[in-house]
């Protein structure tokens, strides 16, 4: 069965995820997370991708980014794969696949879903019951976006900057977003959009994307997501 074609647009925020082979771990120690972040920074700079939010879970990663070129995201994952997979294989004397096929991704309408997607990503460790609050998890962008911690990987998006005139005001407003839980329906919608590669936004936004890519877009399959999917 042929692979479903993917499409990314320059300047359009995109939610991407990559999972370990057979859902197995891809990080085994603190130094592995640090090495992945080093690879991510290097690849993002080299292939001109602006990283807005991320979380590194034990067996998968989520990124919210904006590419400068349509091929930037694919190049970013290829670049990370070349360096990080070699690092893991050498460190743990292993061979074979580390990642489960290709990464998944979908375009995000910034005015509607951008901040919700940031929360979805940074709340992953809480939904997985690894921590009680996102600030307690070291391997995400929450500490930078909400608390102002230095993070050389991140480039703030206009939707985030619009939260306040100063960094302190933006951070306070961003923290307050986490006081209200994302509705289960929205969580499922975010996840199903990612799995299917369907742009996440209004009908007008989807029509604009169809015009830009020159073809009709598929639709998400109906049905409620499984509860276990919400921490992925």
């Amino acid at each position: 069965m042929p692979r479903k074609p993917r499409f990314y647009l320059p300047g359009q925020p995109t939610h991407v995820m990559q999972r370990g082979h057979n859902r197995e771990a891809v990080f085994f120690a603190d130094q592995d997370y640090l090495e992945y972040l080093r690879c991510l920074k290097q690849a993002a700079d080299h292939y001109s991708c602006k990283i807005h939010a991320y979380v590194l879970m034990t067996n998968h990663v989520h990124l919210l980014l904006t590419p400068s070129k349509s091929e930037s995201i694919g190049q970013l994952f290829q670049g990370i794969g070349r360096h990080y997979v070699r690092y893991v294989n050498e460190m743990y004397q292993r061979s074979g696949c580390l990642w489960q096929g290709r990464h998944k991704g979908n375009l995000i309408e910034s005015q509607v879903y951008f901040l919700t997607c940031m929360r979805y990503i940074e709340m992953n460790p809480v939904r997985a019951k690894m921590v009680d609050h996102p600030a307690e998890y070291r391997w995400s962008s929450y500490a930078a976006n909400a608390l102002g911690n230095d993070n050389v990987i991140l480039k703030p998006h206009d939707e985030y900057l619009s939260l306040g005139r100063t960094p302190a005001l933006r951070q306070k407003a961003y923290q307050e977003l986490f006081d209200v839980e994302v509705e289960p329906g929205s969580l499922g919608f975010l996840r199903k959009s990612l799995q299917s590669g369907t742009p996440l936004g209004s009908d007008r936004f989807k029509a604009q994307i169809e015009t830009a890519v020159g073809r009709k877009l598929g639709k998400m399959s109906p049905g409620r997501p499984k509860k276990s999917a919400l921490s992925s």
Side-chain angles (χ1 to χ4, degrees):
M1 182 176 179
R3 289 178 171 180
K4 181 179 180 180
R6 292 177 298 183
F7 51 88
Y8 301 124
L9 297 178
Q12 187 63 51
T14 307
H15 177 196
V16 292
M17 184 266 282
Q18 191 169 32
R19 189 181 299 282
H21 182 65
N22 289 334
R23 296 179 177 262
E24 296 175 353
V26 294
F27 303 109
F28 308 93
D30 285 357
Q31 61 189 6
D32 303 338
Y33 293 93
L34 292 171
E35 179 63 19
Y36 185 93
L37 291 176
R38 187 194 69 79
C39 293
L40 174 60
K41 167 65 175 172
Q42 184 179 61
D45 290 346
H46 187 72
Y47 298 113
S48 300
C49 286
K50 295 179 180 179
I51 310 295
H52 312 301
Y54 66 81
V55 67
L56 311 186
M57 302 293 283
T58 306
N59 66 355
H60 67 281
V61 302
H62 284 271
L63 308 175
L64 179 59
L65 52 79
T66 299
S68 65
K69 300 176 292 184
S70 59
E71 64 269 23
S72 292
I73 293 177
Q75 291 173 336
L76 177 133
F77 277 100
Q78 290 171 9
I80 293 174
R82 282 193 298 270
H83 294 283
Y84 185 71
V85 173
R86 182 169 65 245
Y87 158 82
V88 170
N89 286 346
E90 291 177 354
M91 176 64 68
Y92 298 102
Q93 298 182 354
R94 66 179 298 280
S95 61
C97 296
L98 181 66
W99 301 104
Q100 184 171 298
R102 304 189 303 169
H103 69 275
K104 296 181 181 296
N106 67 312
L107 306 179
I108 302 290
E109 184 173 15
S110 58
Q111 295 89 339
V112 179
Y113 283 106
F114 186 86
L115 294 174
T116 300
C117 189
M118 289 182 73
R119 291 163 62 201
Y120 171 84
I121 288 172
E122 293 174 354
M123 282 293 287
N124 249 262
V126 177
R127 290 195 301 275
K129 302 187 185 304
M130 299 171 71
V131 295
D132 294 326
H133 191 276
E136 300 169 10
Y137 193 72
R138 181 180 177 185
W139 310 113
S140 87
S141 52
Y142 180 87
N145 289 322
L147 306 177
N149 290 11
D150 290 338
N151 190 316
V152 297
I153 297 172
L154 299 179
K155 305 289 185 184
H157 187 272
D158 286 347
E159 288 298 316
Y160 173 81
L161 294 175
S162 70
L163 290 174
R165 296 190 303 275
T166 66
L169 289 175
R170 288 193 289 270
Q171 291 154 23
K172 184 176 185 298
Y174 190 71
Q175 290 175 37
E176 291 173 350
L177 293 177
F178 288 77
D179 292 339
V180 180
E181 292 186 9
V182 179
E183 296 180 356
S186 295
L187 286 173
F189 194 51
L190 277 162
R191 182 179 181 277
K192 291 179 72 174
S193 296
L194 175 63
Q195 292 294 325
S196 65
T198 306
L200 187 60
S202 64
D203 289 341
R204 180 181 179 183
F205 172 71
K206 293 176 183 177
Q208 291 172 341
I209 298 301
E210 288 181 341
T211 298
V213 301
R215 64 181 179 85
K216 287 289 184 180
L217 304 176
K219 295 182 179 180
M220 291 183 292
S221 59
R224 294 178 61 83
K226 297 180 181 178
K227 291 183 179 180
S228 61
L230 299 183
S231 59
S232 62

